[in-house]
Amino acid sequence: MQSKKDDMSAKGAEVDKPHETKPEHEAKSKETSALPSKRKAKSNDTPAKAPRRSARGATQAQPDPVTLLNYLLSKESLDSCRPKDEIEDVKIHGHLRTYSSLTFSPFEELMCAVILSRPISHGLGLRSIRTLLNDPYNCTTPKKIRDGGFDLIIRAVNEARTQHRQKTAEELVILADAVVDHLGTGDEDVNLERVRGECDHEWEKEKEMLKKHVKGLGKTGLDIFGRRVQAQWPELYPFTDQRTLSGLQKLGLPSTAEELKKLLDQHWTALNIEGFEGNEDEKKRRAFVQVLERTTGIDLEGNADRVRAEAMPGTEND
C-alpha cells in the first residue's frame, strides 16, 4: 500500500511550502553540439514542414461552472483528490476516517494542521492522519492523546512510516495539553469554543491565540486550519489561502474567496447539496469548503486535466 514516492527522504528540500507535492517533471532537452555537415544545404525553394502541435498545448474543453461544481460536490470526485495508497486502504478496510472526507471536529482539524505543517508530501501527511484517527489508535480527543502519551503517538507515526516522527509526536502531545490548559474546557473538548469566546469570534485574534499556544503552528498551519474549520466557524467564511489558488485556477474556477462564494450563491439552486447537513448557511459553508479541499487535493495529485475531462457532460466515470 505504500507509495515509493511517499517514502523518499525529504532531506535537502525547501521547507517553506510544506504539504505540497513536487512539481511535474519537466521534459529534458539537451542542445547538441554544432557539427560540420557534409550534406548540401537544402534549397530555399523546398517547402518547410509545418511544426507539430504538442498535445499538451492543445486547448482542453472546459465544463461549465455548474457542471464542474456539481462534480466537485459529488462522491465521484473523491478519488481524484486522494493519494493512491489512501484509495487502496479504503478498498481494503472499508469505512475509514480520512482527511478527504471532511468530517472532523475543530480539535481534529487543528491536529491535522500541525501534521501538515511539517515538510512532508501530501501522501505521507494524509497517511499519518488516517493512521492516528482510526483503529487501533483513535487519537480523536485530547484525553485519548494524554492517556496514551508520547508512546501511543510514536507507535502510530512509526506505523504510518512518515518523516519527522519524533517531532510530530512531541507536538501532538503538547497540543493535547494546550487544549486542556488554554484552548478548551477539558480533555474531552473537541470544539475549542473557549478560543472563539475569548477572542469574540474574531479570526485575527483566534489566530494569535492558537499560534501562541500550539507549538509548530505557523502561517501555513493556520491557513490549513482556517480553510477547513470555516465550515464550523462562520466568522472565517469565506476564506481561501494561497495554497488553494493553484488548484482553483487550474480548474478554471474563481481564485478569490468572494468570487467563489458569489459563484456558489449564484448557482445554489442548481447544485446537488443533498449530502450536506445543517441550515442553508451551514450547507453553503460546507459546500464552499468541499470545493476548496477537492481542488487542492486534485492539484496536489496532479489530476486537474483528468477532472475537467470527467466533469464534461456525457463522460462515463470508472
Side-chain angles (χ1 to χ4, degrees):
M1 287 192 288
Q2 315 302 339
S3 167
K4 290 183 179 179
K5 177 177 69 175
D6 291 342
D7 294 324
M8 290 176 63
S9 170
K11 185 175 181 181
E14 294 184 3
V15 299
D16 59 331
K17 286 190 178 181
H19 188 40
E20 297 182 13
T21 53
K22 294 179 180 179
E24 296 179 3
H25 295 293
E26 298 178 356
K28 295 181 180 178
S29 61
K30 295 183 179 179
E31 294 185 359
T32 55
S33 301
L35 298 175
S37 175
K38 294 182 180 180
R39 295 182 181 180
K40 292 182 179 180
K42 291 184 178 181
S43 169
N44 291 337
D45 295 333
T46 305
K49 291 182 179 181
R52 293 181 180 180
R53 188 180 183 188
S54 169
R56 290 185 179 182
T59 302
Q60 184 177 6
Q62 177 71 22
D64 67 83
V66 174
T67 301
L68 182 55
L69 288 173
N70 272 325
Y71 181 78
L72 294 171
L73 294 172
S74 72
K75 292 180 180 180
E76 283 71 25
S77 66
L78 189 53
D79 282 355
S80 298
C81 70
R82 281 176 159 166
K84 291 181 180 178
D85 67 326
E86 181 167 295
I87 296 172
E88 292 302 314
D89 275 356
V90 172
K91 286 180 180 177
I92 293 169
H93 300 290
H95 177 72
L96 286 176
R97 300 193 70 212
T98 68
Y99 192 67
S100 309
S101 60
L102 300 173
T103 56
F104 293 172
S105 69
F107 170 74
E108 291 167 334
E109 296 288 10
L110 190 57
M111 185 174 74
C112 292
V114 170
I115 293 169
L116 297 175
S117 294
R118 304 247 53 81
I120 58 178
S121 72
H122 183 232
L124 283 179
L126 269 57
R127 190 164 73 206
S128 300
I129 289 167
R130 67 179 180 274
T131 302
L132 283 159
L133 294 182
N134 289 285
D135 292 335
Y137 303 104
N138 296 308
C139 297
T140 57
T141 67
K143 176 177 172 53
K144 182 67 176 181
I145 294 176
R146 280 159 64 95
D147 287 349
F150 177 84
D151 289 344
L152 176 71
I153 306 301
I154 200 68
R155 288 202 309 273
V157 293
N158 281 339
E159 182 177 316
R161 288 193 252 179
T162 186
Q163 298 164 340
H164 312 287
R165 303 174 195 181
Q166 181 92 7
K167 195 163 190 178
T168 298
E170 291 172 353
E171 289 178 351
L172 294 183
V173 172
I174 293 171
L175 169 63
D177 290 337
V179 170
V180 173
D181 296 336
H182 305 288
L183 307 176
T185 57
D187 60 9
E188 294 283 5
D189 182 9
V190 295
N191 294 318
L192 309 182
E193 284 300 314
R194 180 175 172 184
V195 175
R196 302 180 71 203
E198 291 188 11
C199 296
D200 301 319
H201 293 200
E202 295 182 19
W203 174 231
E204 290 303 319
K205 293 180 180 179
E206 291 165 354
K207 283 197 299 184
E208 289 304 313
M209 186 172 179
L210 291 168
K211 188 175 180 180
K212 177 180 178 181
H213 295 294
V214 180
K215 184 177 180 181
L217 191 70
K219 183 182 184 306
T220 297
L222 286 166
D223 282 348
I224 293 169
F225 176 73
R227 187 174 73 217
R228 290 173 62 99
V229 84
Q230 66 182 310
Q232 301 170 70
W233 292 11
E235 59 265 29
L236 278 77
Y237 178 71
F239 174 82
T240 57
D241 63 296
Q242 192 65 31
R243 186 62 194 85
T244 62
L245 297 182
S246 174
L248 290 168
Q249 290 170 348
K250 287 178 182 178
L251 290 181
L253 290 170
S255 57
T256 69
E258 289 296 338
E259 289 174 348
L260 182 60
K261 177 182 180 295
K262 182 178 179 181
L263 181 66
L264 284 166
D265 287 342
Q266 180 181 354
H267 299 290
W268 184 246
T269 57
L271 299 180
N272 182 8
I273 43 85
E274 291 180 1
F276 296 100
E277 298 179 352
N279 58 39
E280 185 165 301
D281 288 340
E282 290 170 335
K283 289 179 179 179
K284 285 186 175 182
R285 294 199 305 272
R286 292 183 185 280
F288 183 88
V289 170
Q290 180 160 319
V291 170
L292 294 183
E293 290 305 305
R294 290 284 194 272
T295 54
T296 301
I298 287 164
D299 184 27
L300 288 168
E301 291 301 310
N303 288 330
D305 288 344
R306 166 187 159 188
V307 165
R308 283 201 305 272
E310 289 183 353
M312 290 295 293
T315 302
E316 292 186 6
N317 301 324
D318 294 332

